[in-house]
C-alpha cells in the first residue's frame, strides 16, 4: 500500500477542481438533473471496484460529492490522487469537460 503523501506532494499532485480537506481530497460534480448524478455515481463505483480503492460518494439533488482518503494509511496517498485523476479523465471523456454528465 502506498505511503502517506507530504503536504507539498498533495498540493502538487491534486488535480485542478479538487480540494484538500484534512486527510481527504474532495470534488463536487454538478449535473442537470438527479439521475445524471446517480449514473455518474455508478461509474465512480465501477472505477472504485476495478481499482479496489473506494471513495465516499454522496449523491444530492443535481450534485455528487466524491471524498477520497486511504483508510489503511490514515491519510492521503498516491492511490487517492490516481483515483481522482481517473475519475476526472472518465468524466471529461464522457462529457467533453462539462459537469452536467449526459451518461
Ligand atoms: C482491507 C482494505 O479495506 C482494502 O485493502 C482496501 C479497500 N478499499 C479501500 N478504499 C480506501 N479509500 N482506502 C483503503 O484503505 C481501502 N482499502
Amino acid at each position: 500500500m502506498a505511503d502517506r503523501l507530504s503536504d507539498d506532494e498533495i498540493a502538487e499532485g491534486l488535480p485542478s477542481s479538487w480540494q484538500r480537506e484534512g486527510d481527504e481530497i474532495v470534488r463536487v460534480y454538478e449535473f442537470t438533473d438527479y439521475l445524471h448524478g446517480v449514473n455518474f455515481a455508478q461509474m465512480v463505483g465501477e472505477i472504485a471496484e476495478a481499482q479496489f480503492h473506494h471513495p465516499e460518494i454522496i449523491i444530492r439533488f443535481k450534485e455528487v460529492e466524491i471524498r477520497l482518503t486511504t483508510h489503511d494509511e490514515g491519510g492521503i496517498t498516491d492511490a487517492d490522487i490516481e483515483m481522482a485523476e481517473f475519475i476526472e479523465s472518465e468524466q471529461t471523456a464522457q462529457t467533453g469537460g462539462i459537469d452536467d454528465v449526459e451518461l
Side-chain angles (χ1 to χ4, degrees), residues 46-63:
E46 288 168 3
I47 293 171
E49 276 297 280
Q51 305 290 325
F52 204 56
H53 194 70
H54 302 86
E56 185 180 19
I57 303 172
I58 303 146
I59 300 172
R60 302 187 185 98
F61 181 58
K62 294 191 178 183
E63 69 174 34

Side-chain angles (χ1 to χ4, degrees), residues 8-22:
D8 289 345
E9 288 169 328
I10 294 165
E12 193 177 299
L14 198 60
S16 60
S17 306
W18 284 69
Q19 268 78 40
R20 179 190 180 172
E21 290 182 10

Side-chain angles (χ1 to χ4, degrees), residues 7 9-30 56 60 63-69 75-77 80-81 84-85 88 99:
D7 291 346
E9 288 169 328
I10 294 165
E12 193 177 299
L14 198 60
S16 60
S17 306
W18 284 69
Q19 268 78 40
R20 179 190 180 172
E21 290 182 10
D23 283 337
E24 296 179 307
I25 58 172
V26 185
R27 165 91 150 93
V28 175
Y29 291 88
E30 294 177 356
E56 185 180 19
R60 302 187 185 98
E63 69 174 34
V64 176
E65 179 174 310
I66 308 292
R67 304 185 73 88
L68 273 160
T69 190
I76 300 164
T77 70
D80 302 305
I81 301 293
E85 287 169 343
E88 282 293 302
D99 267 349

